[in-house]
Amino acid sequence: AVVSTQSKQWYQRRVHGDADHMRDIVVTETLEDIDKDGDGKINMDEYIGDMYRGDEDVTVDEPDWVTSEREQFEKFRDRDGDGLMDLDEVKAWIIPPDFDHSEAEAKHLIFESDQDQDNLLTKEEILDKYDLLWLSGN
């Protein structure tokens, strides 16, 4: 089991490089970009304001998707219920813990390479997208 764990870790580093470090940078930059008041956290107004500016006419109702995003913030993004998203909550939003990057990359590569969209890759499709497939792993 030790060898297989080490092999998997080696493979992940080989394919993704220092991905954990880069993920942390992306999360920090996202927080800093959305956090307009500089308190190191994202409040509801900052969260919504990053996606929707609103209408100057206060009699106009906000779109349904904005209402849905407010609910997402309250129910799922703000995990501790303090009305703010901290760094860990932003990370869970941007990079969900159950998200498998390798599987997502594989699905993306198949989608991009499968020219006739039959969910099978032929030799010709692989050769046609060789550069995409090769660059993905290097």
Side-chain angles (χ1 to χ4, degrees):
V2 172
V3 173
S4 65
T5 300
Q6 290 174 337
S7 296
K8 183 175 181 179
Q9 290 171 345
W10 174 86
Y11 176 76
Q12 287 174 333
R13 281 193 308 274
R14 166 84 171 89
V15 173
H16 299 291
D18 195 7
D20 288 337
H21 174 69
M22 292 307 297
R23 284 188 202 110
D24 289 343
I25 289 172
V26 168
V27 171
T28 300
E29 287 179 350
T30 300
L31 175 64
E32 290 172 352
D33 184 49
I34 298 174
D35 174 25
K36 301 304 181 196
D37 64 11
D39 66 352
K41 298 182 178 186
I42 298 173
N43 63 41
M44 174 79 76
D45 290 337
E46 292 167 331
Y47 176 77
I48 296 299
D50 186 59
M51 300 175 272
Y52 177 70
R53 299 283 185 250
D55 194 317
E56 291 182 19
D57 182 358
V58 294
T59 63
V60 175
D61 291 336
E62 66 185 18
D64 289 342
W65 69 266
V66 176
T67 303
S68 176
E69 282 299 327
R70 287 185 190 283
E71 291 171 8
Q72 288 289 317
F73 183 92
E74 291 173 347
K75 292 180 181 177
F76 304 108
R77 309 280 186 249
D78 176 21
R79 292 179 168 193
D80 61 9
D82 67 353
L84 302 166
M85 288 173 57
D86 62 21
L87 188 64
D88 289 335
E89 290 167 324
V90 172
K91 185 173 186 174
W93 168 43
I94 300 297
I95 305 167
D98 57 348
F99 183 75
D100 185 337
H101 292 278
S102 299
E103 182 178 341
E105 178 68 4
K107 287 179 179 179
H108 164 72
L109 292 173
I110 291 170
F111 177 80
E112 291 297 325
S113 302
D114 186 14
Q115 296 168 349
D116 60 8
Q117 300 299 304
D118 66 353
N119 292 320
L120 301 170
L121 292 181
T122 64
K123 180 179 176 180
E124 291 76 22
E125 289 171 328
I126 292 169
L127 292 174
D128 284 346
K129 295 294 182 167
Y130 176 79
D131 56 337
L132 173 72
L133 298 168
W134 174 252
L135 290 175
S136 173
N138 290 304

